[in-house]
Amino acid sequence: MNLFVIIKSLLAGLPNTVLILVISFLLSSIIGLLVMWISLQDDRVSRGVARLYTGLSRGTPPLLMLLLSYYELPKLLQFVGINAQDWSKNLFAIFGLAVGFGGYMGEVFRAAFESVDQSQFEAAYAVGMQRKDVLKEIILPQVFQIALPNIQNMFLDFLKASSLVYVIGISDMYRNATNLANVHQGVFQLQIFIVLGLIYWLITIFFEYLFKLYIKKNTYI
């Protein structure tokens, strides 16, 4: 099989791969920040909820989260009068990945928060700043900078996990590779998946480069 045909077929699924990767990662980051905030509350109930979700998130395989999102979430929504039968499969893939990795992101942000010198709160309060302003202007920027290396690692984990969305019928690069191999009865399967692996590797290098550029220009701690 012509190499150009293989590359063209696989790259046809690249837009879906990137779309699901970026949106699910951003949503998971928001969930992670929320989990961090809940885990830092004074009451035991809030901390218990955060620990429970984090444990479930980290202990459940991403593939299972995707399947639960695609097959069971519409049934749950049906109970509250929402018909999700015609929703895009991408939405369920994004939700499944985001919820599945939210616990990991929460731990990333929590560890970074605990690395920040907490005496900065007292110093800020002494000059009349409110807690929300201290968090917004002083603490959270530092949390983000400290967490950047781990955020990069999580993003690359998302990239690899995004290949699982083929199980719910999304035409991403992995599904296109599988379909192409099946069409040719597995004759060119090795070549197809070698090319797929190289494409994922190049995408990884590209995003690593972007992260390094950002860290070089913006890290000030």
Side-chain angles (χ1 to χ4, degrees):
M1 184 189 299
N2 189 293
L3 179 61
F4 176 76
V5 173
I6 297 177
I7 295 175
K8 182 180 179 181
S9 177
L10 300 188
L11 290 183
L14 181 60
N16 262 348
T17 295
V18 173
L19 175 70
I20 293 171
L21 167 65
V22 172
I23 297 180
S24 63
F25 180 77
L26 292 176
L27 180 57
S28 184
S29 298
I30 294 172
I31 294 173
L33 287 171
L34 179 61
V35 171
M36 178 200 74
W37 179 76
I38 295 175
S39 69
L40 296 173
Q41 299 304 301
D42 293 331
D43 64 289
R44 294 182 179 179
V45 175
S46 296
R47 295 198 303 270
V49 170
R51 285 197 297 268
L52 176 62
Y53 168 71
T54 299
L56 289 173
S57 173
R58 297 172 70 184
T60 305
L63 178 58
L64 179 57
M65 280 293 191
L66 282 170
L67 293 174
L68 288 174
S69 174
Y70 182 65
Y71 290 108
E72 302 304 325
L73 181 59
K75 296 178 183 178
L76 293 176
L77 292 174
Q78 192 70 39
F79 279 117
V80 294
I82 299 175
N83 184 6
Q85 298 301 322
D86 296 328
W87 288 12
S88 169
K89 293 179 180 180
N90 286 357
L91 292 176
F92 297 106
I94 289 168
F95 180 82
L97 288 174
V99 172
F101 280 90
Y104 290 96
M105 295 302 296
E107 286 297 284
V108 167
F109 290 126
R110 184 186 62 80
F113 182 89
E114 293 179 348
S115 298
V116 176
D117 186 357
Q118 300 300 300
S119 64
Q120 294 180 67
F121 277 103
E122 298 176 5
Y125 294 154
V127 297
M129 293 185 69
Q130 300 294 318
R131 180 177 176 81
K132 64 178 182 178
D133 295 323
V134 177
L135 288 171
K136 179 181 177 181
E137 303 294 337
I138 299 176
I139 303 300
L140 288 182
Q142 294 181 66
V143 168
F144 182 70
Q145 294 293 337
I146 294 171
L148 264 177
N150 287 328
I151 290 175
Q152 175 183 339
N153 291 334
M154 287 301 305
F155 185 85
L156 298 181
D157 284 341
F158 260 87
L159 172 61
K160 290 180 286 186
S162 67
S163 65
L164 296 173
V165 301
Y166 83 95
V167 299
I168 60 175
I170 293 177
S171 296
D172 70 325
M173 292 193 298
Y174 192 93
R175 184 174 179 83
N176 286 2
T178 303
N179 289 341
L180 190 62
N182 290 339
V183 166
H184 292 86
Q185 300 179 338
V187 175
F188 301 102
Q189 181 170 294
L190 179 60
Q191 296 94 314
I192 292 169
F193 282 99
I194 287 177
V195 172
L196 177 64
L198 290 174
I199 291 175
Y200 271 106
W201 178 56
L202 291 174
I203 294 172
T204 299
I205 291 175
F206 172 72
F207 280 116
E208 282 183 332
Y209 174 73
L210 292 182
F211 269 101
K212 287 179 181 178
L213 279 182
Y214 183 85
I215 293 172
K216 183 178 180 180
K217 293 181 178 179
N218 295 277
T219 300
Y220 52 83
I221 293 179

